[in-house]
Amino acid sequence: MNGRLLGLRAVLAASLSAAALATSPASAAAPQGPVMLNFVNAEIDSVVRAMGQITGKNFLLDPRVKGTINIASVHPVSADLAYQILISSLRMQGFTAVEGKGLVKIVPEADAKQHFSQTYGRVVKSGGDQVVTQVYPLQYATAAQLVTVLRPLIAPNNAVSAYPGSNTLVITDYADNLKRITQIIEAIDRPNDAEFNIIKVQHLSAIELAQQLSRLFADPAGAHSGPVAAGNTLLIAADGRSNSLLVRTDNQGKLDTLRAMVAQLDTPSSAMSNLQVVHLRNADATKLAETLRALAAGEARGAGVPAPAQAAPAVGGATGPGVTILADAATNSLVINAPDHLYNSLRAVIDKLDAQRAQIFVEALIVEVTSAKAAELGIQWQGPLIQRNGDYALVGGTNFSSGGNNLLSLSAAAASGAVTSLPSTGLNLALGQVLNINGKPVTTLTALARLWEGDSDANILSTPNLLTLDNEEAKIVIGQNVPFITGSYAQGASGAAGATVNPFQTIERKDVGLTLKVKPQVSEGGTIKLQIVQEVSNVSDATNQAGIITNKRSIETTVLVGDGEAIVLGGLIQDDVQNGVDKVPGLGDIPLLGALFRSETRKRTKTNLMVFLRPAVVRSPEAMSGLTQNRYDYIRNIYSAFPAPKRWLMPDISAGNLPNLKLDRVLAAKPKSAAPTAEKAPTP
């Protein structure tokens, strides 16, 4: 009770002082001298009103700002310090001051960030416990990642956010705390200490040196070989063009150790030459050796060294004095004996050429649709016109067609005893006559009416697939190897009157069927250049005396196609219509009766042939495995789709099932136990 009275007395004293100042000429200004503060359990609104008189500031209290505060000063304080003491006391009660233009708002701390406040950049000029806003643009660190670091250091009711567009932090908090936050941001927002360092190599090959040092400095838990390898905080790469090492690390001790090792290793050899063995991973050692010999010969001529007139592999692959390049096909390795500077140049070329080539899977689709329709309608007849004494003097009639469909041919066959010798197709109506010649009955045909119509369709679908390396030709042949007679002669046995003849023939065999040859070349942009030779052939007639007749359809072209895109190579759309009429002039044109004097044939053949192709680049083992699994599952389903039906008294012979590649890979990946476990015997 006494404390509250003292607080009221202080407020009353401050009010009285303010009233006294109002009567003076300087009543609108704040007191110039220090003041003593003594507020005990005083209401916030009363204290703020008194502070307004002391500091000369205009205060606006939020209706939610209620409570009491205690402020006491041992020594007199200035007006500015009294204001800071008030703000700190309000913060302890959960309230804060937001300074605007000529006005100080006292609001709950949670609402301070929604009101106008002073805004600063990298440097916060204000201090104390007033709420301000800072917009801090970052140079090196990421704003979104830095938010998670700063959030625990900022009051829960205040805000921190990141704008990724300009990599900027926006923070609303107390001025004193923002100064501390600024120091933290400046310590974090710095360039990475792991900068690149270039170490020049004079005598050794930077590529080989990078491989050895990477294995040496790599983390044992995750070491891996190759031209680029990384350890804990060390990354080593090689630049073959300048024969230098590129090193990135944030550990200065490791960098110094690396420089010392390179200096000790990079010394000239005692001899003029340098014998090295390079094991290739992808390239062909024999072909690459030829390229390197030509390159080494050019380097020797450029350096003024007289090169031999011809780089002859017969002398061991030598290309000049002191330079030898050999290929070991058994291990796919190169053996190079050359000076250091030349070997370094060759080693850089080897590293670029010994790259893994992509594989291309080519799918072809050959569709051929053939439809043929034919019809024949005709009447042929022969008969005597004038007869004398049982002998025929004049015979008349018509005959059309040829071979087995001709009436005269059929009549001659019937006279020889083949009475059933009629055309084998269509409806044939024949009228015959039996003659007595030399006491023997002879059957002859005097009329033949033939009606025939044929209709045939054929759909042929071929889908050959090929897998080949980039810039390597692949070929697939599906068909028969047919013999073709190229020559023949007969040789008789000498010295005998009845000499036997030994015929002799020369035969050449050719593939008849489907042939597809593809040579792909993948560009850097993913476009595939294809050199294609595609041929479809079949035997049309094998009974021809001159030799076998084949039908052939082929395409030879070069195209550009995107990865995984389908393209049409070419095709044939043919419509062949043939109409034929055999007739007696004049008589064949008579309406109705003219049909007795003519024979008509009609034939129409339609052929549609199209060839499509789709290449796909396979770059990873996972893609190759997926492709193989897809094709294998397809053929596996077809293999088991047509089981033989069960029959009584016939054995059930099953074709079996193809193994499951997925299951086999799973079983192969499982670790084998050290010792087999005993199995429980089955219950009888």
Side-chain angles (χ1 to χ4, degrees):
M1 185 66 179
N2 295 332
R4 180 177 295 274
L5 292 175
L6 292 176
L8 292 177
R9 292 193 188 99
V11 173
L12 180 58
S15 300
L16 292 176
S17 299
L21 290 172
T23 61
S24 65
S27 60
Q32 298 299 323
V35 295
M36 292 288 295
L37 301 179
N38 187 16
F39 297 98
V40 180
N41 293 332
E43 297 291 339
I44 293 178
D45 55 349
S46 301
V47 177
V48 170
R49 190 179 305 111
M51 284 295 179
Q53 297 294 333
I54 296 173
T55 62
K57 296 181 180 292
N58 298 318
F59 289 92
L60 179 61
L61 272 71
D62 189 282
R64 294 170 291 178
V65 178
K66 296 182 182 298
T68 60
I69 56 177
N70 299 305
I71 301 176
S73 61
V74 179
H75 303 286
V77 296
S78 63
D80 293 338
L81 182 56
Y83 173 71
Q84 295 298 332
I85 294 174
L86 173 64
I87 300 303
S88 300
S89 300
L90 292 174
R91 180 180 177 183
M92 297 176 63
Q93 299 294 329
F95 308 113
T96 187
V98 179
E99 291 191 9
K101 295 182 180 180
L103 183 66
V104 179
K105 299 178 183 179
I106 307 298
V107 297
E109 186 183 53
D111 297 341
K113 57 181 176 291
Q114 300 175 358
H115 293 268
F116 173 81
S117 61
Q118 295 292 333
T119 304
Y120 301 96
R122 293 177 178 269
V123 180
V124 179
K125 299 179 181 179
S126 300
D129 289 332
Q130 59 184 2
V131 174
V132 296
T133 300
Q134 183 183 23
V135 179
Y136 196 106
L138 300 175
Q139 294 182 354
Y140 306 101
T142 304
Q145 296 178 352
L146 201 56
V147 167
T148 59
V149 178
L150 300 179
R151 178 69 265 183
L153 306 178
I154 298 174
N157 291 327
N158 293 331
V160 55
S161 58
Y163 178 62
S166 59
N167 197 34
T168 303
L169 288 173
V170 180
I171 308 173
T172 300
D173 200 7
Y174 296 101
D176 285 344
N177 192 39
L178 278 181
K179 292 183 178 180
R180 180 173 67 104
I181 295 296
T182 301
Q183 296 177 356
I184 296 175
I185 295 176
E186 291 176 351
I188 297 177
D189 188 31
R190 293 183 178 181
N192 191 355
D193 294 335
E195 297 180 352
F196 283 102
N197 297 271
I198 300 177
I199 303 176
K200 184 67 177 179
V201 181
Q202 299 292 338
H203 307 285
L204 301 179
S205 171
I207 298 175
E208 293 184 350
L209 189 59
Q211 294 176 353
Q212 298 173 2
L213 294 176
S214 297
R215 288 192 292 266
L216 181 63
F217 283 89
D219 183 9
H224 58 281
S225 60
V228 177
N232 291 331
T233 57
L234 185 68
L235 178 66
I236 304 175
D239 179 32
R241 186 184 62 84
S242 61
N243 197 42
S244 303
L245 294 177
L246 304 178
V247 183
R248 183 181 183 184
T249 180
D250 55 1
N251 190 325
Q252 187 63 34
K254 283 192 174 183
L255 180 60
D256 295 340
T257 303
L258 181 65
R259 289 184 182 274
M261 293 186 64
V262 173
Q264 294 178 5
L265 295 175
D266 188 25
T267 57
S269 59
S270 57
M272 294 298 296
S273 61
N274 182 17
L275 184 62
Q276 298 287 344
V277 177
V278 182
H279 298 280
L280 302 179
R281 297 185 301 272
N282 302 288
D284 187 353
T286 304
K287 296 181 180 179
L288 187 56
E290 298 177 359
T291 303
L292 296 178
R293 292 187 192 114
L295 179 62
E299 291 283 345
R301 287 193 295 269
V305 179
Q310 183 178 4
V315 295
T319 59
V323 179
T324 304
I325 301 175
L326 298 175
D328 183 28
T331 59
N332 196 37
S333 303
L334 294 173
V335 180
I336 303 176
N337 187 12
D340 291 337
H341 70 281
L342 181 57
Y343 173 75
N344 294 337
S345 300
L346 296 177
R347 191 64 180 85
V349 175
I350 294 172
D351 185 65
K352 293 182 178 180
L353 296 181
D354 188 28
Q356 183 176 358
R357 290 188 290 175
Q359 299 187 89
I360 296 89
F361 180 72
V362 181
E363 293 179 287
L365 179 64
I366 305 171
V367 183
E368 182 176 1
V369 179
T370 304
S371 176
K373 297 181 182 295
E376 182 177 347
L377 173 62
I379 298 177
Q380 306 176 57
W381 56 271
Q382 297 286 336
L385 300 179
I386 300 176
Q387 182 178 6
R388 181 187 299 176
N389 298 328
D391 297 330
Y392 295 104
L394 182 61
V395 178
T398 61
N399 65 88
F400 308 109
S401 302
S402 61
N405 296 332
N406 185 267
L407 179 63
L408 296 180
S409 300
L410 294 173
S411 182
S416 64
V419 295
T420 59
S421 181
L422 293 177
S424 59
T425 58
L427 176 62
N428 301 280
L429 300 176
L431 178 63
Q433 181 181 8
V434 180
L435 301 178
N436 190 358
I437 301 177
N438 297 327
K440 295 182 179 180
V442 177
T443 302
T444 61
L445 298 179
T446 58
L448 173 65
R450 184 166 185 264
L451 292 86
W452 171 78
E453 180 177 356
D455 188 357
S456 62
D457 297 312
N459 295 333
I460 301 175
L461 174 65
S462 302
T463 57
N465 299 330
L466 276 176
L467 180 66
T468 181
L469 280 175
D470 181 22
N471 211 28
E472 292 289 342
E473 183 179 287
K475 178 181 179 181
I476 182 173
V477 178
I478 304 173
Q480 295 177 322
N481 193 258
V482 180
F484 290 84
I485 299 176
T486 58
S488 63
Y489 64 91
Q491 180 179 4
S494 59
T500 59
V501 178
N502 298 322
F504 182 82
Q505 293 180 336
T506 58
I507 295 176
E508 179 184 3
R509 291 186 171 273
K510 295 183 179 181
D511 295 328
V512 176
L514 188 147
T515 302
L516 177 64
K517 291 195 297 183
V518 179
K519 184 178 181 180
Q521 183 178 359
V522 183
S523 64
E524 291 295 332
T527 305
I528 305 174
K529 178 182 178 182
L530 296 173
Q531 298 179 9
I532 305 164
V533 177
Q534 189 273 328
E535 178 181 313
V536 178
S537 59
N538 63 289
V539 176
S540 176
D541 187 2
T543 61
N544 190 6
Q545 295 181 355
I548 299 175
I549 300 175
T550 60
N551 296 328
K552 178 180 177 181
R553 296 170 294 278
S554 64
I555 295 176
E556 185 172 352
T557 182
T558 302
V559 297
L560 289 175
V561 60
D563 183 10
E565 296 181 0
I567 187 174
V568 59
L569 299 182
L572 170 67
I573 300 177
Q574 182 179 7
D575 196 350
D576 186 10
V577 178
Q578 299 178 4
N579 295 325
V581 178
D582 294 335
K583 64 180 179 179
V584 177
L587 298 178
D589 297 329
I590 300 175
L592 298 179
L593 295 178
L596 300 175
F597 300 95
R598 67 175 179 265
S599 176
E600 298 184 25
T601 59
R602 297 180 181 179
K603 185 178 181 180
R604 180 175 183 176
T605 304
K606 299 186 67 174
T607 302
N608 296 327
L609 173 64
M610 286 292 171
V611 179
F612 301 89
L613 188 140
R614 180 176 66 183
V617 181
V618 183
R619 299 184 184 274
S620 63
E622 293 76 13
M624 176 58 65
S625 177
L627 176 63
T628 303
Q629 186 66 48
N630 178 272
R631 297 288 88 187
Y632 186 81
D633 290 343
Y634 174 77
I635 198 67
R636 187 168 179 261
N637 294 334
I638 294 179
Y639 185 81
S640 59
F642 304 101
K646 295 183 178 181
R647 294 289 185 266
W648 187 57
L649 296 181
M650 292 189 67
D652 187 9
I653 300 177
S654 175
N657 295 322
L658 294 177
N660 190 343
L661 288 183
K662 292 182 179 178
L663 182 60
D664 291 346
R665 287 200 299 268
V666 172
L667 295 178
K670 288 184 178 180
K672 297 182 179 179
S673 58
T677 57
E679 297 183 358
K680 183 179 179 181
T683 304

Short mmCIF file of all heavy atoms in Angstrom, two decimals, residues 640-660:
data_model
loop_
_atom_site.label_atom_id
_atom_site.label_comp_id
_atom_site.label_asym_id
_atom_site.label_seq_id
_atom_site.Cartn_x
_atom_site.Cartn_y
_atom_site.Cartn_z
N SER A 640 5.31 -69.33 -73.32
CA SER A 640 4.41 -70.13 -72.49
C SER A 640 2.94 -69.90 -72.80
O SER A 640 2.08 -70.34 -72.05
CB SER A 640 4.67 -69.82 -71.01
OG SER A 640 4.46 -68.44 -70.75
N ALA A 641 2.63 -69.21 -73.92
CA ALA A 641 1.24 -68.87 -74.20
C ALA A 641 0.52 -69.95 -75.00
O ALA A 641 -0.71 -69.93 -75.07
CB ALA A 641 1.16 -67.54 -74.95
N PHE A 642 1.24 -70.86 -75.61
CA PHE A 642 0.60 -71.85 -76.47
C PHE A 642 1.00 -73.27 -76.05
O PHE A 642 1.79 -73.93 -76.72
CB PHE A 642 0.98 -71.62 -77.95
CG PHE A 642 0.67 -70.23 -78.43
CD1 PHE A 642 1.68 -69.28 -78.53
CD2 PHE A 642 -0.62 -69.86 -78.75
CE1 PHE A 642 1.40 -68.01 -78.95
CE2 PHE A 642 -0.90 -68.58 -79.18
CZ PHE A 642 0.10 -67.65 -79.29
N PRO A 643 0.46 -73.75 -74.96
CA PRO A 643 0.76 -75.13 -74.57
C PRO A 643 0.01 -76.12 -75.45
O PRO A 643 -1.07 -75.83 -76.00
CB PRO A 643 0.28 -75.19 -73.12
CG PRO A 643 -0.81 -74.17 -73.05
CD PRO A 643 -0.42 -73.07 -73.99
N ALA A 644 0.57 -77.31 -75.60
CA ALA A 644 -0.07 -78.34 -76.41
C ALA A 644 -1.29 -78.89 -75.67
O ALA A 644 -1.24 -79.13 -74.46
CB ALA A 644 0.92 -79.46 -76.71
N PRO A 645 -2.45 -79.06 -76.37
CA PRO A 645 -3.64 -79.59 -75.68
C PRO A 645 -3.42 -81.05 -75.25
O PRO A 645 -2.67 -81.80 -75.89
CB PRO A 645 -4.73 -79.47 -76.75
CG PRO A 645 -4.00 -79.47 -78.05
CD PRO A 645 -2.69 -78.81 -77.80
N LYS A 646 -4.08 -81.40 -74.18
CA LYS A 646 -3.96 -82.76 -73.67
C LYS A 646 -4.81 -83.71 -74.49
O LYS A 646 -5.94 -83.40 -74.85
CB LYS A 646 -4.37 -82.80 -72.20
CG LYS A 646 -3.44 -82.01 -71.28
CD LYS A 646 -3.85 -82.16 -69.81
CE LYS A 646 -2.90 -81.41 -68.90
NZ LYS A 646 -3.26 -81.55 -67.47
N ARG A 647 -4.24 -84.89 -74.80
CA ARG A 647 -4.93 -85.92 -75.59
C ARG A 647 -4.80 -87.26 -74.86
O ARG A 647 -3.77 -87.55 -74.24
CB ARG A 647 -4.33 -86.04 -77.00
CG ARG A 647 -4.53 -84.80 -77.86
CD ARG A 647 -5.99 -84.65 -78.29
NE ARG A 647 -6.16 -83.54 -79.20
CZ ARG A 647 -6.51 -82.32 -78.85
NH1 ARG A 647 -6.69 -82.05 -77.55
NH2 ARG A 647 -6.65 -81.37 -79.75
N TRP A 648 -5.89 -88.03 -75.00
CA TRP A 648 -5.90 -89.35 -74.37
C TRP A 648 -4.93 -90.27 -75.09
O TRP A 648 -4.85 -90.28 -76.31
CB TRP A 648 -7.33 -89.90 -74.38
CG TRP A 648 -7.46 -91.17 -73.59
CD1 TRP A 648 -7.16 -91.38 -72.30
CD2 TRP A 648 -7.92 -92.42 -74.11
NE1 TRP A 648 -7.41 -92.65 -71.93
CE2 TRP A 648 -7.89 -93.34 -73.05
CE3 TRP A 648 -8.38 -92.85 -75.36
CZ2 TRP A 648 -8.29 -94.66 -73.18
CZ3 TRP A 648 -8.78 -94.15 -75.50
CH2 TRP A 648 -8.73 -95.05 -74.41
N LEU A 649 -4.20 -91.06 -74.36
CA LEU A 649 -3.21 -92.01 -74.86
C LEU A 649 -2.02 -91.33 -75.52
O LEU A 649 -1.26 -91.98 -76.24
CB LEU A 649 -3.85 -93.00 -75.86
CG LEU A 649 -4.93 -93.92 -75.29
CD1 LEU A 649 -5.46 -94.84 -76.38
CD2 LEU A 649 -4.38 -94.74 -74.13
N MET A 650 -1.87 -90.01 -75.29
CA MET A 650 -0.70 -89.31 -75.82
C MET A 650 0.07 -88.71 -74.66
O MET A 650 -0.53 -88.18 -73.71
CB MET A 650 -1.11 -88.21 -76.81
CG MET A 650 -1.70 -88.73 -78.10
SD MET A 650 -1.93 -87.41 -79.31
CE MET A 650 -0.22 -87.01 -79.66
N PRO A 651 1.38 -88.80 -74.69
CA PRO A 651 2.16 -88.25 -73.57
C PRO A 651 2.05 -86.72 -73.52
O PRO A 651 1.93 -86.05 -74.55
CB PRO A 651 3.58 -88.71 -73.88
CG PRO A 651 3.60 -88.89 -75.36
CD PRO A 651 2.23 -89.38 -75.76
N ASP A 652 2.10 -86.23 -72.31
CA ASP A 652 2.04 -84.78 -72.08
C ASP A 652 3.47 -84.25 -72.06
O ASP A 652 4.20 -84.43 -71.10
CB ASP A 652 1.33 -84.48 -70.76
CG ASP A 652 1.10 -82.99 -70.59
OD1 ASP A 652 1.33 -82.24 -71.57
OD2 ASP A 652 0.70 -82.57 -69.49
N ILE A 653 3.86 -83.64 -73.18
CA ILE A 653 5.22 -83.11 -73.31
C ILE A 653 5.15 -81.60 -73.19
O ILE A 653 4.55 -80.92 -74.03
CB ILE A 653 5.85 -83.51 -74.66
CG1 ILE A 653 5.90 -85.05 -74.77
CG2 ILE A 653 7.25 -82.92 -74.81
CD1 ILE A 653 6.43 -85.53 -76.10
N SER A 654 5.75 -81.08 -72.12
CA SER A 654 5.72 -79.64 -71.87
C SER A 654 7.01 -79.00 -72.37
O SER A 654 8.09 -79.58 -72.27
CB SER A 654 5.54 -79.36 -70.38
OG SER A 654 5.62 -77.98 -70.12
N ALA A 655 6.85 -77.81 -72.91
CA ALA A 655 8.02 -77.07 -73.40
C ALA A 655 8.81 -76.45 -72.27
O ALA A 655 9.94 -75.98 -72.48
CB ALA A 655 7.58 -75.99 -74.38
N GLY A 656 8.25 -76.45 -71.06
CA GLY A 656 8.95 -75.85 -69.94
C GLY A 656 8.78 -74.34 -69.92
O GLY A 656 8.14 -73.73 -70.78
N ASN A 657 9.38 -73.72 -68.93
CA ASN A 657 9.30 -72.27 -68.77
C ASN A 657 10.70 -71.67 -68.78
O ASN A 657 11.64 -72.25 -68.24
CB ASN A 657 8.60 -71.90 -67.46
CG ASN A 657 7.15 -72.34 -67.45
OD1 ASN A 657 6.46 -72.26 -68.47
ND2 ASN A 657 6.67 -72.80 -66.30
N LEU A 658 10.81 -70.52 -69.41
CA LEU A 658 12.08 -69.81 -69.39
C LEU A 658 12.32 -69.23 -67.99
O LEU A 658 11.37 -68.84 -67.31
CB LEU A 658 12.07 -68.67 -70.41
CG LEU A 658 12.00 -69.11 -71.88
CD1 LEU A 658 11.94 -67.89 -72.79
CD2 LEU A 658 13.20 -69.96 -72.25
N PRO A 659 13.55 -69.16 -67.54
CA PRO A 659 13.81 -68.65 -66.18
C PRO A 659 13.48 -67.16 -66.07
O PRO A 659 13.44 -66.43 -67.07
CB PRO A 659 15.32 -68.90 -66.00
CG PRO A 659 15.85 -68.97 -67.39
CD PRO A 659 14.78 -69.57 -68.24
N ASN A 660 13.25 -66.73 -64.86
CA ASN A 660 12.93 -65.33 -64.57
C ASN A 660 14.23 -64.58 -64.30
O ASN A 660 14.94 -64.88 -63.34
CB ASN A 660 11.99 -65.25 -63.37
CG ASN A 660 11.43 -63.84 -63.19
OD1 ASN A 660 11.96 -62.89 -63.74
ND2 ASN A 660 10.37 -63.74 -62.42
#
